[in-house]
Amino acid sequence: MSFQPMTMPIFSQLLEPQGIAPAQDFEESGKLICGHAPSIELRAKIRFITGELLSFSVSNDEEVRRLMKHWRAELSPEIDNADDDIFVSGFEDDEQLKDLASEAPIIRLVNHLFARALDLNASDIHFEPNESHLDVRCRVDGIMTRIERLPVKIHTAVASRLKLMARLDIGEKRLPQDGRIDYQFGNQHLDMRVSTLPGVHGESVVLRILDRGDTSVDLQQLGMPKHILNDYQKIVTQPHGMILITGPTGSGKTTTLYATLEKINSEKQKIITVEDPVEYQLEGITQIQANASIGLSFAAGLRSIVRQDPDVLMVGEIRDHETAEIAIESALTGHLVFSTLHTNDAAGAVTRLQDMGVEGYLISSSLLAIQAQRLVRRVCPDCSETHELSSDEATVLEISQEICPSIKRGSGCERCGNTGYRGRVGLYELLLMSDAIRHHIATGADVNVIREQAISEGMETLRQDALAKLQAGLTTPEEVVRVTRAL
């Protein structure tokens, strides 16, 4: 690792007197040596201040803070001490905005925020301007958490930097825009989807983080109960029919579909997908990016790919009658079709299709199975502790303490950012078609009748799977209530 010439005297002056590490060793190793491990937040801030990707061994937090303060004063005075008119909004000239977005402190700040988000394994980064400050929040394991509060005066510069990276119109602030950022972070190659939205206090910018190197997904790793996994694996090998994955946004539907396609992918089958967007690229599968602005909707894409002689089709989402009709027709004419719907539970998918105008007899004839799912946060394995289930918790969960006498909770540690949770695990509900269920669907029976029939045939609900994962120590009562209270 090498640093700008001006930084080497700073390392010498700061580090050598403190006995932390000689400057030349630091330059060669790229490692800050400390008395004990700095927090994730401190590590990210040091990366921001130095502008380098550093690894850390142990130091003293006080020494780390002194290092941060020194570097901020020496190298980034523009952010903390700049006159307001350097960063205030109101620029009309695109070249001015580009110059502002290309300033070293702004570049370093944005890189620092990316590093913070990646350290936390965030799925999204939100830049939200308010009247007096710019909040930067991340979605970590499905929950929003603020990682930085910045002076609002730098919002224009930060937004311009993000738009410049995403190749968006840097001068357009009145209309929403969408773009992508390719970002190399160490050995990680990230693909970030960018969305801008004009607001009262400035543009809100949201980035969805996709790791191109993290595309290997296995069905066994998703957390499906063994009996559901066995049934699901049998269903997805059928030669034709339609399988629906349902749930709200952020419930892991796309991950399940990708894992399924990886499972059935072989040289003997032609698999084509139409998605919006294509989140991960799968080897040996033809993937099409839907683009409604040029007329390539899900329906138009699906209509075209059935003429490409496919065996398996995957439609990112069924949003309208036309898409539903073509998908069902494809399932009835010898194709295996996968798609998603936004519904609360498995039985609700039938009602959703009927609301789109699809006849009951077509739904009953084409459907093989409907799987509903959710995601709950997983208890951090590094700080997990056993606790007794309290009577209040048992009452809220509507179970007896004898059924689940003890639970697991995370006490909070550095690995989980002191949240007690790390990662997520899926909750699943698999509705398999039977003659009785097909009859109910074809005759227009109420969704409650279909659900009760499926339960009588052995279907376990999302709530039941959540309680099973609570008993197994994978999640907490709070997560069970948060995710399943509307079911």
Side-chain angles (χ1 to χ4, degrees):
M1 175 177 297
S2 61
F3 295 94
Q4 300 172 8
M6 67 173 290
T7 68
M8 292 307 300
I10 295 172
F11 275 116
S12 299
Q13 294 168 17
L14 179 66
L15 300 178
E16 288 180 355
Q18 301 297 327
I20 297 176
Q24 60 270 23
D25 292 343
F26 183 73
E27 181 184 16
E28 291 172 4
S29 66
K31 182 179 290 185
L32 176 62
I33 304 172
C34 308
H36 59 83
S39 67
I40 292 174
E41 182 176 356
L42 285 173
R43 294 202 301 265
K45 286 184 177 179
I46 292 170
R47 290 194 184 106
F48 160 50
I49 293 165
T50 60
E52 299 286 348
L53 296 180
L54 309 178
S55 60
F56 296 81
S57 78
V58 217
S59 183
N60 178 294
D61 273 358
E62 186 57 36
E63 291 168 345
V64 173
R65 291 189 186 97
R66 284 200 297 270
L67 176 66
M68 287 167 45
K69 184 176 180 181
H70 187 91
W71 273 81
R72 187 182 290 274
E74 290 289 336
L75 297 183
S76 299
E78 297 93 336
I79 288 180
D80 286 338
N81 305 316
D83 293 333
D84 286 355
D85 59 1
I86 294 179
F87 294 112
V88 292
S89 59
F91 289 91
E92 301 295 336
D93 188 283
D94 286 5
E95 291 305 316
Q96 282 183 297
L97 289 172
K98 288 178 182 178
D99 290 343
L100 186 65
S102 301
E103 290 288 338
I106 295 302
I107 294 173
R108 201 170 297 153
L109 172 62
V110 170
N111 289 343
H112 149 68
L113 295 171
F114 287 172
R116 287 282 303 280
L118 294 174
D119 272 342
L120 294 170
N121 290 319
S123 60
D124 303 83
I125 313 175
H126 294 241
F127 295 82
E128 302 167 331
N130 296 293
E131 187 175 359
S132 58
H133 51 261
L134 170 64
D135 276 342
V136 184
R137 298 198 294 166
C138 289
R139 189 174 295 281
V140 181
D141 294 334
I143 303 297
M144 294 292 286
T145 179
R146 192 178 73 200
I147 63 169
E148 200 72 76
R149 173 162 282 182
L150 301 167
V152 73
K153 65 183 181 181
I154 69 169
H155 169 254
T156 298
V158 170
S160 297
R161 174 63 188 167
L162 296 171
K163 289 163 74 173
L164 194 62
M165 295 176 74
R167 299 178 177 84
L168 299 178
D169 183 351
I170 202 168
E172 178 56 77
K173 301 179 183 179
R174 300 164 299 172
L175 297 174
Q177 297 187 71
D178 295 297
R180 305 184 88 98
I181 294 175
D182 285 329
Y183 185 70
Q184 192 74 33
F185 181 79
N187 295 325
Q188 290 178 276
H189 188 188
L190 303 174
D191 183 5
M192 292 188 276
R193 284 166 30 207
V194 182
S195 170
T196 71
L197 188 69
V200 174
H201 300 295
E203 288 181 289
S204 169
V205 185
V206 177
L207 281 65
R208 166 64 59 88
I209 303 173
L210 305 171
D211 184 354
R212 287 186 182 175
D214 186 22
T215 59
S216 180
V217 188
D218 196 299
L219 281 173
Q220 282 78 8
Q221 298 172 347
L222 298 182
M224 290 186 193
K226 190 172 181 180
H227 63 282
I228 289 183
L229 178 62
N230 290 337
D231 288 340
Y232 185 77
Q233 288 180 322
K234 290 176 185 176
I235 288 293
V236 300
T237 58
Q238 296 297 309
H240 56 82
M242 184 163 68
I243 299 169
L244 294 176
I245 309 295
T246 76
T249 300
S251 59
K253 300 187 297 296
T254 301
T255 299
T256 299
L257 285 175
Y258 279 143
T260 304
L261 295 181
E262 289 272 27
K263 174 73 176 177
I264 65 176
N265 189 18
S266 73
E267 292 185 354
K268 297 180 180 179
Q269 292 195 102
K270 183 176 180 68
I271 302 175
I272 305 180
T273 74
V274 53
E275 309 167 56
D276 183 21
V278 175
E279 295 195 6
Y280 298 112
Q281 297 177 17
L282 303 176
E283 186 71 28
I285 294 176
T286 302
Q287 295 172 270
I288 300 169
Q289 169 74 55
N291 188 345
S293 64
I294 60 172
L296 185 55
S297 62
F298 280 124
L302 188 54
R303 192 182 297 107
S304 297
I305 63 180
V306 294
R307 294 194 288 269
Q308 289 280 310
D309 189 29
D311 299 294
V312 179
L313 305 175
M314 192 270 270
V315 188
E317 183 184 347
I318 294 178
R319 296 177 177 172
D320 51 43
H321 172 77
E322 187 180 9
T323 306
E325 194 173 55
I326 301 170
I328 288 175
E329 183 181 332
S330 300
L332 292 172
T333 54
H335 303 91
L336 183 61
V337 180
F338 295 92
S339 193
T340 71
L341 281 174
H342 292 280
T343 63
N344 282 335
D345 61 6
V350 175
T351 303
R352 183 79 182 92
L353 289 173
Q354 290 172 336
D355 289 343
M356 290 181 187
V358 181
E359 296 292 340
Y361 72 92
L362 291 174
I363 299 172
S364 64
S365 301
S366 59
L367 270 180
L368 294 174
I370 307 168
Q371 179 164 279
Q373 60 183 67
R374 296 288 191 281
L375 293 174
V376 291
R377 289 186 291 174
R378 187 191 293 265
V379 173
C380 175
D382 291 325
C383 61
S384 173
E385 296 177 348
T386 301
H387 297 266
E388 289 186 2
L389 183 71
S390 71
S391 58
D392 289 342
E393 289 169 337
T395 300
V396 172
L397 293 169
E398 299 177 344
I399 60 173
S400 69
Q401 289 175 285
E402 289 74 22
I403 293 177
C404 184
S406 64
I407 57 171
K408 295 283 189 181
R409 269 200 178 88
S411 59
C413 64
E414 184 182 352
R415 293 291 303 279
C416 64
N418 293 313
T419 64
Y421 298 98
R422 194 165 91 243
R424 290 186 287 180
V425 63
L427 306 179
Y428 298 93
E429 173 182 292
L430 182 62
L431 190 158
L432 299 172
M433 289 294 115
S434 66
D435 289 341
I437 292 176
R438 291 184 194 280
H439 174 73
H440 286 315
I441 294 173
T443 56
D446 183 79
V447 65
N448 292 320
V449 174
I450 298 171
R451 183 185 300 110
E452 289 168 8
Q453 178 66 42
I455 291 173
S456 70
E457 294 177 4
M459 181 186 81
E460 290 188 0
T461 65
L462 287 165
R463 178 83 170 188
Q464 288 174 307
D465 191 24
L467 293 174
K469 288 182 167 63
L470 176 66
Q471 289 176 297
L474 295 177
T475 192
T476 63
E478 293 81 4
E479 280 296 287
V480 172
V481 172
R482 180 181 70 85
V483 173
T484 67
R485 62 188 164 194
L487 299 176

